[in-house]
Amino acid sequence: MDEFLYKVQTRFLFHSSIRIKIPAICSEDQMDSLFGLLESVDRQYNSYQPGSFFDRINKNAGSFVTVDDETVRILRQAKKLSAFFDGRYAITVMPLVRLWGFYKDDVKRVPSEDELGRVLPLVNDDMIDIDGNRVRIAKGQEIVTGSFIKAYAVDRLLEKMREMKITDAIVNAGGSTMAAVNNAAHPSWQVGVDVPGTDDPLFVADIADCVYSTSAQGDSFVEIGGKRYGHILNPQTGYPSSNKMVGVVTESAMLGDMVSTGLFTETPAGFLEKMRRLQKDFSIEGFLMDEAGHITRSAGFGADWEVPV
């Protein structure tokens, strides 16, 4: 909306560009404080950050590690959703990610059945032991926070905005999480959603006081023998999902990020069944784009959203 004035900053965190847009009347100190919170979350909870709680858990696999209450809360939610998706969502997927060559300079090749047979038993969030504030993963296991850490940081950011009395804002966390804050003067934000891997518009969404989260097979892939394999892996089969995109609208960014990843391995029928079950406990709507580009959406998902021509 042109009549509103904002200040905008973008900084690189969580291996992504994080863009915050808040009213121009907010101070630079407020903007710095918001990014400072994100930097703190990055240091403490990003598994890729040396010395973070998750890095310590990984480096001490097989032994208990003392962590804070937030780490325990994150792990309990991850374990709950892993069980909900029958193990098709797992934060212990890192050994499988390494096997496929998605991490740094790992060799990129299709794993053998024997290799998958050795690694898949380790991709099991049930094996994460929580005893009070002590956490232990099994030898050979490794947690990766990529499926939720930016979104967790956004949830913390929204809490801080409420404390600061900021009632009009939007946050773009790497394109996979879009969080809207609205008031009566500015009742919604528009978010453009593109076809994965292209700049072709899919639709324009109106979101208000909620989060749009997406998991997509776009530029994150490995090419092996002339074939592209996407980065979202099915922990049950060990292979990448062939779906193209999942988008969900929720009140919690972390829930949306975890759920969109879990739904990515579903068939259209499985997607609708899981959405109906999730809606018993959460305010959530969403869609699935399969390999052929066909879109399956929940009944309440954006029927009135504009589809660009």
Side-chain angles (χ1 to χ4, degrees):
M1 289 186 164
D2 294 337
E3 63 266 32
F4 297 104
L5 297 176
Y6 298 94
K7 58 180 48 168
V8 182
Q9 276 196 32
T10 302
R11 301 186 191 179
F12 194 78
L13 291 161
F14 310 104
H15 304 283
S16 299
S17 293
I18 311 295
R19 184 173 184 262
I20 298 176
K21 187 173 185 177
I22 54 178
I25 59 171
C26 294
S27 68
E28 289 299 324
D29 285 345
Q30 285 178 299
M31 183 71 86
D32 287 341
S33 180
L34 293 173
F35 275 109
L37 172 63
L38 297 181
E39 290 165 0
S40 175
V41 170
D42 192 26
R43 286 193 304 272
Q44 294 184 79
Y45 304 107
N46 189 341
S47 61
Y48 293 110
Q49 289 285 11
S52 71
F53 285 113
F54 287 98
D55 177 63
R56 280 182 258 166
I57 293 169
N58 288 335
K59 287 180 176 175
N60 292 278
S63 301
F64 275 105
V65 175
T66 301
V67 300
D68 67 352
D69 291 342
E70 280 299 284
T71 303
V72 171
R73 187 178 73 82
I74 290 169
L75 287 171
R76 291 195 185 282
Q77 179 158 336
K79 284 170 66 71
K80 182 177 180 180
L81 285 172
S82 180
F84 174 82
F85 285 108
D86 302 314
R88 287 194 297 274
Y89 171 77
I91 64 172
T92 50
V93 76
M94 193 62 179
L96 188 59
V97 171
R98 291 186 185 278
L99 186 61
W100 274 90
F102 281 104
Y103 184 67
K104 292 187 176 179
D105 297 322
D106 294 341
V107 177
K108 297 169 177 57
R109 59 186 176 80
V110 177
S112 69
E113 291 301 315
D114 285 345
E115 288 172 320
L116 289 172
R118 288 194 294 270
V119 166
L120 285 179
L122 299 171
V123 184
N124 183 351
D125 289 359
D126 282 344
M127 295 166 65
I128 302 173
D129 289 332
I130 302 173
D131 178 19
N133 280 82
R134 300 192 310 149
V135 173
R136 178 179 62 190
I137 59 175
K139 281 282 189 182
Q141 282 196 305
E142 185 176 357
I143 291 172
V144 59
T145 57
S147 67
F148 66 82
I149 190 60
K150 292 196 305 291
Y152 167 76
V154 169
D155 281 337
R156 293 278 302 272
L157 191 70
L158 296 177
E159 291 175 5
K160 192 168 187 68
M161 284 183 177
R162 285 191 286 269
E163 293 173 4
M164 291 179 168
K165 310 300 183 186
I166 295 174
T167 61
D168 182 17
I170 191 161
V171 180
N172 181 345
S176 61
T177 299
M178 305 286 289
V181 178
N182 296 93
N183 56 30
H186 188 183
S188 68
W189 287 92
Q190 282 196 332
V191 174
V193 179
D194 293 337
V195 177
T198 75
D199 294 325
D200 300 332
L202 184 62
F203 54 75
V204 176
D206 284 315
I207 59 174
D209 285 319
C210 62
V211 181
Y212 172 76
S213 304
T214 186
S215 293
Q217 302 286 29
D219 297 326
S220 297
F221 61 88
V222 293
E223 189 166 330
I224 305 170
K227 181 178 179 180
R228 290 185 176 185
Y229 295 87
H231 73 290
I232 300 178
L233 302 169
N234 185 331
Q236 284 190 336
T237 67
Y239 287 89
S241 171
S242 60
N243 288 323
K244 289 187 174 180
M245 188 179 194
V246 169
V248 297
V249 176
T250 63
E251 295 176 348
S252 162
M254 186 168 74
L255 174 69
D257 225 9
M258 289 179 163
V259 165
S260 66
T261 303
L263 290 170
F264 205 91
T265 62
E266 295 288 342
T267 64
F271 169 82
L272 291 175
E273 187 270 336
K274 287 291 194 299
M275 286 296 294
R276 284 192 291 268
R277 288 173 56 193
L278 285 164
Q279 287 170 339
K280 294 178 181 178
D281 297 313
F282 306 105
S283 174
I284 184 170
E285 300 287 351
F287 77 94
L288 166 73
M289 177 187 285
D290 66 16
E291 186 177 15
H294 178 264
I295 293 178
T296 301
R297 65 177 71 198
S298 61
F301 183 80
D304 57 343
W305 287 352
E306 175 188 352
V307 180
V309 177

